Amino acid sequence: MSALLSVRGLTAGYGGPPIIEEVSFNVAPHEIAVILGPNGAGKSTVLKTIFALTTVLSGAIEFDGADIAGGKTSTLVTLGVSAVPQSRNVFRNLTVEENLDVGTYAAPPADKVATREKVLDLFPDLRAKLRQPAGELSGGQRQMVAIGRAMMCEPKLILLDEPTAGLSPAYLERIFDLLLDIRKTGMTILMVEQNARQALQIADKAHVLVNGRNFASGTGKELLADEDVRRSFLGGGGE
Ligand SMILES: Nc1ncnc2c1ncn2[C@@H]1O[C@H](COP(=O)(O)OP(=O)(O)O)[C@@H](O)[C@H]1O
Ligand SMILES: [Mg+2]
């Protein structure tokens, strides 16, 4: 199966020295791919680089057959890439409905109302809160608004940066279940997660980054069983 996203030898940064170096991985269509690694490893930088928010120094990024390295974020959105940043990812003063509609600004779906209905089918909690300012919702519900907004332009690939950060274990499970439902709709997910053990349980593929470089890659199952990965990132001990 050919990759939907292919990252090859990617070196990028913010204008100073490179933050990520020679990073390579593929994301197949309809998979949940997870990027793991310690704080400061460059995980967010990888997502930001795919979304054209950093400076690419060398390497290649291909999305759906198009060369996108060093392109523009607006082009990526029209090609079918959507991103949910790590924090401050909803407009607190806008209602839930308005937040969702912002997601259609750059790449309007053919039928906005039908798309909103499809998105809300995945997030039943949000239906009753459409007219409420997003700032009044719980952290978990706000995260759903942010993910829902990213889905409103019907992307092929969603980039998620720590979607469960700061959420209770119960909400973490809800969000992960939701990601499995989103995958069922045919979308592809690339996410950064701190909750490595749980993320590996839903990941089709995972890539561990250390110091801006590839450290290990494999299926969720393979990495859960990998001694080095377990010792360094999963707090030792097995299941
Ligand atoms: N906007 C920025 N400008 C300069 N350096 C940055 C910027 N954002 C992140 N960095 C640096 O890049 C490194 C990797 O950060 P990041 O990609 O956020 O790591 P992670 O998401 O794995 O915790 C850190 O050393 C951080 O200080
Ligand atoms: Mg980060």
Side-chain angles (χ1 to χ4, degrees):
M1 185 165 28
S2 73
L4 178 66
L5 177 76
S6 168
V7 173
R8 287 277 146 263
L10 188 64
T11 299
Y14 298 93
I19 301 290
I20 55 169
E21 292 185 74
E22 297 285 329
V23 170
S24 298
F25 61 92
N26 283 334
V27 179
H30 317 304
E31 84 177 8
I32 296 181
V34 178
I35 301 177
L36 305 173
N39 263 331
K43 304 180 298 296
S44 296
T45 302
V46 169
L47 291 193
K48 286 190 241 172
T49 302
I50 294 164
F51 211 50
L53 299 171
T54 69
T55 306
V56 174
L57 299 168
S58 59
I61 313 173
E62 252 183 47
F63 173 71
D64 211 9
D67 174 9
I68 59 164
K72 281 201 193 133
T73 301
S74 54
T75 312
L76 288 175
V77 176
T78 50
L79 285 175
V81 183
S82 209
V84 181
Q86 192 166 340
S87 56
R88 296 191 295 276
N89 53 21
V90 299
F91 297 98
R92 287 172 167 259
N93 297 325
L94 299 186
T95 64
V96 168
E97 187 171 26
E98 289 164 341
N99 265 282
L100 292 178
D101 284 353
V102 168
T104 66
Y105 180 71
D111 183 344
K112 192 157 98 177
V113 176
T115 304
R116 193 199 292 142
E117 281 307 304
K118 260 195 272 174
V119 169
L120 286 172
D121 282 345
L122 287 166
F123 304 88
D125 299 24
L126 298 185
R127 246 182 223 289
K129 303 191 182 289
L130 283 174
R131 309 260 184 274
Q132 217 168 313
E136 290 177 6
L137 306 185
S138 71
Q141 289 166 339
R142 282 203 304 272
Q143 199 55 258
M144 290 184 185
V145 173
I147 298 171
R149 189 182 59 218
M151 292 179 66
M152 283 295 291
C153 59
E154 303 186 315
K156 293 175 186 147
L157 173 69
I158 300 193
L159 308 174
L160 292 170
D161 200 345
E162 299 202 20
T164 68
L167 300 186
S168 65
Y171 250 120
L172 177 144
E173 225 165 273
R174 298 271 305 277
I175 297 279
F176 281 7
D177 283 346
L178 186 68
L179 297 180
L180 291 167
D181 288 342
I182 290 174
R183 179 179 59 178
K184 274 190 216 142
T185 72
M187 286 186 199
T188 304
I189 296 171
L190 174 60
M191 70 168 170
V192 168
E193 250 305 327
Q194 281 295 348
N195 296 293
R197 192 177 285 278
Q198 289 101 323
L200 286 174
Q201 274 151 9
I202 64 159
D204 298 301
K205 266 295 183 63
H207 310 283
V208 181
L209 280 193
V210 176
N211 289 329
R213 292 178 175 272
N214 288 101
F215 177 84
S217 281
T219 63
K221 241 189 189 152
E222 282 164 355
L223 292 195
L224 277 169
D226 183 300
E227 267 309 311
D228 280 348
V229 170
R230 267 168 49 172
R231 208 174 27 245
S232 311
F233 305 103
L234 303 178
E239 295 271 298

